[in-house]
Amino acid sequence: QVQLVESGGGLVQPGESLTLSCASSGSTLNIVSRGWYRQAPGKQRELVANILSGGSTNYADSVKGRFTISRDNAKNTVNLQMVSLKSEDTAVYYCNTVRLSGTQLRNYWGQGTQVTVSS
């Protein structure tokens, strides 16, 4: 089992920065990827960024150049640094871990943290 707890959300103005953090507890074995998703009102949950076990990263086109995902294996955390925030970044952000359990991939989710970008 994996437990995820997000922190760092809040209300910021356009152009400002915010860093989200995800603390993970439980099993650290067979982790395939860790990342962040977001869901805005009336929209589907979408991938924001993830980092694979080998260290490679993926970003949604809409956040490339503005968001940076990083991990601290010693602290078992994954961070999402967000700069130049836009109103369209407003959403609930969810931490995600994908773990290989036997022959199946299992998704684990945090409870979500609200990010609101508004003047």
Side-chain angles (χ1 to χ4, degrees):
Q1 290 292 333
V2 175
Q3 295 80 42
L4 304 173
V5 178
E6 303 101 335
S7 61
L11 171 63
V12 296
Q13 295 187 350
E16 293 187 337
S17 301
L18 204 59
T19 297
L20 305 182
S21 184
C22 176
S24 177
S25 61
S27 177
T28 59
L29 298 177
N30 301 321
I31 300 298
V32 175
S33 69
R34 293 180 173 169
W36 292 90
Y37 285 70
R38 67 185 180 187
Q39 187 168 18
K43 294 187 177 181
Q44 289 187 332
R45 190 173 297 190
E46 62 175 359
L47 174 69
V48 177
N50 68 2
I51 183 165
L52 305 184
S53 58
S56 60
T57 57
N58 298 291
Y59 293 92
D61 287 342
S62 60
V63 307
K64 284 180 180 178
R66 299 189 299 121
F67 291 11
T68 303
I69 189 169
S70 63
R71 67 184 178 191
D72 186 330
N73 289 333
K75 296 181 179 179
N76 216 5
T77 58
V78 176
N79 294 329
L80 184 68
Q81 182 180 16
M82 306 182 292
V83 302
S84 301
L85 282 161
K86 305 175 181 179
S87 58
E88 50 263 44
D89 295 318
T90 295
V92 178
Y93 284 69
Y94 295 91
C95 181
N96 168 265
T97 292
V98 180
R99 179 173 174 261
L100 182 63
S101 179
T103 59
Q104 293 185 339
L105 294 176
R106 293 194 62 183
N107 277 279
Y108 297 89
W109 299 93
Q111 80 285 354
T113 185
Q114 177 71 46
V115 172
T116 302
V117 184
S118 175
S119 56

